[in-house]
Amino acid sequence: MENKKVLFLVGEEFEDIEVLYPFYRVIEEGFKPIIAWKEANSKVTGKHGYVVISDISFKEVRPEEYVALVLPGGRGPEKIRTLEEVKNITRKFFELKKPVAAICHGPQILISANVVRGRKLTSVASIKDDVIAAGGIYIDDSVVVDDNLISSRHPGDLPYFALTLIKALKSLK
Amino acid sequence: MENKKVLFLVGEEFEDIEVLYPFYRVIEEGFKPIIAWKEANSKVTGKHGYVVISDISFKEVRPEEYVALVLPGGRGPEKIRTLEEVKNITRKFFELKKPVAAICHGPQILISANVVRGRKLTSVASIKDDVIAAGGIYIDDSVVVDDNLISSRHPGDLPYFALTLIKALKSLK
Amino acid sequence: MENKKVLFLVGEEFEDIEVLYPFYRVIEEGFKPIIAWKEANSKVTGKHGYVVISDISFKEVRPEEYVALVLPGGRGPEKIRTLEEVKNITRKFFELKKPVAAICHGPQILISANVVRGRKLTSVASIKDDVIAAGGIYIDDSVVVDDNLISSRHPGDLPYFALTLIKALKSLK
Amino acid sequence: MENKKVLFLVGEEFEDIEVLYPFYRVIEEGFKPIIAWKEANSKVTGKHGYVVISDISFKEVRPEEYVALVLPGGRGPEKIRTLEEVKNITRKFFELKKPVAAICHGPQILISANVVRGRKLTSVASIKDDVIAAGGIYIDDSVVVDDNLISSRHPGDLPYFALTLIKALKSLK
Amino acid sequence: MENKKVLFLVGEEFEDIEVLYPFYRVIEEGFKPIIAWKEANSKVTGKHGYVVISDISFKEVRPEEYVALVLPGGRGPEKIRTLEEVKNITRKFFELKKPVAAICHGPQILISANVVRGRKLTSVASIKDDVIAAGGIYIDDSVVVDDNLISSRHPGDLPYFALTLIKALKSLK
Amino acid sequence: MENKKVLFLVGEEFEDIEVLYPFYRVIEEGFKPIIAWKEANSKVTGKHGYVVISDISFKEVRPEEYVALVLPGGRGPEKIRTLEEVKNITRKFFELKKPVAAICHGPQILISANVVRGRKLTSVASIKDDVIAAGGIYIDDSVVVDDNLISSRHPGDLPYFALTLIKALKSLK
């Protein structure tokens, strides 16, 4: 039987550790991380120079095939949030009520996908006002859970972000 | 008689040309650009490595003393938009109905200052959804004028941004 | 009750993810990571620019107070392996039969501490010949366990390295 | 009617602001800036990382088609001053008595074109002795005008450099 | 008559001065330096950004054609020491009793080639323990000569390293 | 008896190999290289990141105490050529008829010291026109000797530059 897949949406200059930590972490738990970017089989470089290879293009993604969505931060979200496919993928995960885990600047994609209104969430402090403007209920905590939405503020929150994501993934089984 | 002063709010990793172009441009017209940052008399470095020296700290700024406000882009706005002084300065310029010129990521400060609702403006495409979420009427043009608010999208719009700013400054005299 | 502590020995230009992944990972499991370097309370920068703050100097370390030792890779091990304190700390963990987890260039410290002879272990391929010259039994696998010694080859092995380290930590309780 | 064209000669590692400021500035006044480099349609990168696309190669330039010549500084002039086409273009503008505006290291091209003798001009201080050796009359001022030749010292002089260039361009109409 | 050839084995991120100094130095004495790397006619870049062009691939090297071998340091040796051709070339020079001059991290290649046992040599301090583990007799001196093997510690030893190498080359004539 | 001293005038962003090669080379021959910069006991960094420590400030230099002067290239000469002490030191070596060896951009200092007129010399191609404008007789060769003046074009000429310098130094004894 194939491993269940977790989808990562990345953009150039992503915050390296916010991709790599959950990426390796879901492998630990027996899931298969899949990296989506504008093109498949391409090198995408983080702010600190780590390189990941995309498995699939945004256009090819079918949310039904994944158990959860991870939205890492850094400058990546700004590079991809304007793409219709990125917004559609994100909205679809919410419709399917599958776990969506966003950290740091990751919630910029949530804003673009228009799924923030009325939801409790957190983000890096510098986009707090955008989250609030978009109708989100901003909570300054290491990890915030609102139904299927898991969010954290910055790399220092990664242990709590990962624990919560893993718990959600396990409860799916 | 002293030159009339134009205030620039800058943050670390500002988009260099978006600070330097209007900075030198207002000098050409006989105005005095004043750079405000967290601390006075400090070096602030742009994304491309140009360095400006701050003249004044945000706390010391008295908007009444300036004829206009410039909000350059880059990563600077994210570094300073959460500061109460930055929000207060920005709101005060709107209350005083003095020209406010924002370019690229500059409108992130407008969002934090909560002065976007119902206004026509533009910005870098990557924060368009934030502008809209904050109640702004987003217009994709090289320069957008709504009453005292002047906005542009990116460095390529600088000639039109500057022309409009200079026109506003001259009409004040 | 205080958390049990896991000791990390770092050197300048460490492989960032090899410090950060196990660092956050042991926090997830309720342990407290402690970073040791030449000086306490100092910034130490990785190859990719991530910065960690040392908690303690090598001289101050008392191995008895920790449940395990982590030796991350990158260029860090070369910077610290010649220090007597580093060798002594490492040897002491072996004497105490506490888990020692080394990855990538981390085994350079094991060689300097002279604890490799007759042991099965792995490392980054580029120091394989040094491991063998020091009497180690080199095994090319994602994670190798020989009694208290856990070793891996490179960042791609981190999930297996971490799983094995965590298992060892849990078996201590 | 087409816009009148202003020619810029650039070389790799140009001083970014010394290209960009006059480039956008002449657009403001209704002129069309044209970038010439060794090859047409190529990316040329400044010292600070800004990229411009060349419109035309040096070989294709016909000085008769332009109203003025701009020679920005940085390390660009050293990269192109030895080329015969660059020297010929420069000399031709002098023969045609069209405005030539050089800033910072830009006068290195004037020296190579052998048009400095007996002329009043300025430059960055570090090539002052070259200007003098070439027969120039060095004047330490923010902008120096000698007939069709306009020169400035460094980025801080840009407002005065631009004002003088624009004035010269307008007097041509 | 053709110049006698001296072979250099380089790897990416070599210590620039440790390649360039002996490279130019043997030219001074009438020898011809030949750079070998994984591929022929390729750019190989040092830690500090100097670029050399490889003359020949490791596979093509026939040690009989050279009068001596130079093994510079930096991070280059780690990049190439695992290659069988590199080990074979090195061993062959020892069999032929031709001068082999290694500096800094260069002895990492000697360890991989298994030619260190019982020999007096030096290296950068950070791999001293590897040299000893491999059976070498480590001597902390600016240059150490043991039969055909010449070794030094770091760039500051270059004058003594070069003098000794040149002396060995001259005694061959 | 103390070693005879050779003086190096360096500026920030010197061409690293043009300082280091002759520096180590004169040590090989039993001379003592002395590095002069604006301040004594200071780190001066080359274009490629190598660091040298200045032994003496320009002001303290007494040319009578040295047997020769070396003027390396890179961007260093532009940083120091305007200083009166640098010009005076250079002129004094010519008056004393002691060897002066300049490479690459090093002749920029000769131009500023006004010692080029009527002399045969070479330099990096990009300042050839400055050398000629200053009255020099430019010769495109790997090393040019005119009485006490030795000059070369670029790093590739270092073996010939060094050989000629060493020959001049030895003839002094």
Side-chain angles (χ1 to χ4, degrees), chain E:
Chain E
M1 195 196 76
E2 218 174 282
N3 285 352
K4 288 177 179 169
K5 295 186 295 183
V6 175
L7 183 67
F8 287 67
L9 302 186
V10 305
E12 309 88 298
E13 296 188 63
F14 55 81
E15 179 62 56
D16 311 57
I17 187 70
E18 292 174 358
V19 171
L20 296 178
Y21 192 81
F23 181 91
Y24 290 137
R25 195 62 188 84
V26 299
I27 293 174
E28 274 197 60
E29 302 294 334
F31 295 87
K32 184 172 181 181
I34 300 292
I35 304 255
W37 187 62
K38 295 172 191 172
E39 308 286 339
N41 305 312
S42 300
K43 289 182 177 179
V44 190
T45 304
K47 268 169 65 178
H48 289 86
Y50 280 102
V51 175
V52 297
I53 310 291
S54 59
D55 298 293
I56 191 173
S57 73
F58 295 135
K59 281 190 213 292
E60 297 166 308
V61 168
R62 297 185 53 226
E64 295 77 4
E65 299 176 359
Y66 301 87
V67 295
L69 175 66
V70 178
L71 301 174
R75 295 175 202 132
E78 277 215 12
K79 304 288 170 75
I80 60 172
R81 68 188 293 208
T82 59
L83 302 171
E84 283 308 312
E85 300 86 358
V86 166
K87 297 182 197 182
N88 289 337
I89 292 167
T90 304
R91 278 191 286 259
K92 191 71 183 174
F93 273 86
F94 275 84
E95 286 171 29
L96 297 170
K97 295 194 183 303
K98 293 184 174 183
V100 174
I103 184 166
C104 202
H105 284 78
Q108 290 184 314
I109 292 174
L110 302 176
I111 294 171
S112 290
N114 201 20
V115 294
V116 164
R117 190 161 307 278
R119 289 214 173 241
K120 287 181 204 138
L121 76 163
T122 194
S123 73
V124 65
S126 66
I127 63 161
K128 171 186 171 181
D129 294 329
D130 301 327
V131 168
I132 293 170
I137 300 157
Y138 190 87
I139 295 174
D140 183 12
D141 206 352
S142 55
V143 64
V144 176
V145 181
D146 181 339
D147 198 4
N148 70 314
L149 176 58
I150 298 161
S151 56
S152 286
R153 297 166 305 184
H154 51 63
D157 293 336
L158 279 168
Y160 317 104
F161 182 70
L163 269 178
T164 310
L165 171 61
I166 297 304
K167 192 176 154 194
L169 290 175
K170 284 185 168 170
S171 71
L172 296 173
K173 289 192 189 177

Side-chain angles (χ1 to χ4, degrees), chain F residues 60-73:
Chain F
E60 296 166 309
V61 169
R62 296 186 52 226
E64 294 77 4
E65 299 176 359
Y66 301 88
V67 295
L69 174 66
V70 178
L71 301 174

Side-chain angles (χ1 to χ4, degrees), chain C residues 2-170:
Chain C
E2 222 175 277
N3 286 351
K4 288 176 178 170
K5 296 187 294 182
V6 174
L7 183 68
F8 288 66
L9 301 187
V10 305
E12 309 88 298
E13 296 188 64
F14 55 81
E15 178 62 57
D16 311 57
I17 187 70
E18 292 174 358
V19 170
L20 296 178
Y21 193 81
F23 181 91
Y24 289 138
R25 195 64 187 81
V26 300
I27 292 174
E28 273 198 59
E29 303 293 335
F31 294 86
K32 184 172 182 181
I34 300 292
I35 304 254
W37 186 61
K38 294 171 192 172
E39 306 288 337
N41 305 314
S42 301
K43 290 182 176 179
V44 189
T45 304
K47 268 171 65 179
H48 289 86
Y50 282 100
V51 175
V52 297
I53 308 292
S54 59
D55 299 293
I56 191 172
S57 72
F58 295 136
K59 281 191 213 292
E60 296 166 308
V61 169
R62 298 185 51 226
E64 296 78 4
E65 299 176 358
Y66 301 87
V67 294
L69 174 65
V70 178
L71 301 174
R75 295 176 202 130
E78 276 215 14
K79 304 289 172 73
I80 60 172
R81 68 188 294 210
T82 58
L83 301 172
E84 284 309 312
E85 300 87 358
V86 166
K87 298 182 197 182
N88 289 337
I89 291 166
T90 303
R91 277 192 285 259
K92 192 69 183 176
F93 273 87
F94 276 83
E95 286 171 29
L96 298 169
K97 297 194 181 302
K98 292 183 176 185
V100 175
I103 183 166
C104 203
H105 284 78
Q108 290 184 316
I109 292 175
L110 301 178
I111 294 171
S112 290
N114 201 20
V115 293
V116 164
R117 190 158 308 275
R119 290 219 172 234
K120 287 181 203 137
L121 76 163
T122 194
S123 73
V124 66
S126 66
I127 64 161
K128 172 186 171 179
D129 293 330
D130 300 327
V131 167
I132 293 170
I137 301 157
Y138 189 87
I139 295 174
D140 184 11
D141 206 352
S142 54
V143 64
V144 175
V145 181
D146 182 338
D147 197 6
N148 70 313
L149 176 58
I150 298 161
S151 57
S152 286
R153 298 167 305 186
H154 50 63
D157 293 337
L158 279 169
Y160 317 105
F161 181 70
L163 270 177
T164 311
L165 171 61
I166 297 303
K167 193 176 153 194
L169 291 175
K170 284 183 168 171

Side-chain angles (χ1 to χ4, degrees), chain D residues 7-20:
Chain D
L7 184 67
F8 288 66
L9 302 186
V10 304
E12 308 88 299
E13 294 188 65
F14 56 80
E15 179 63 57
D16 311 58
I17 187 70
E18 293 174 359
V19 170
L20 296 178

Side-chain angles (χ1 to χ4, degrees), chain B residues 18 71-74 77 101-111 123-124 127 152:
Chain B
E18 292 174 358
L71 301 174
I103 184 166
C104 203
H105 283 79
Q108 290 184 316
I109 292 174
L110 302 177
I111 294 170
S123 73
V124 65
I127 63 161
S152 286

Side-chain angles (χ1 to χ4, degrees), chain F residues 26-39:
Chain F
V26 301
I27 292 174
E28 273 198 60
E29 303 293 335
F31 295 86
K32 185 172 180 181
I34 300 292
I35 304 254
W37 186 60
K38 294 171 191 172
E39 307 288 338

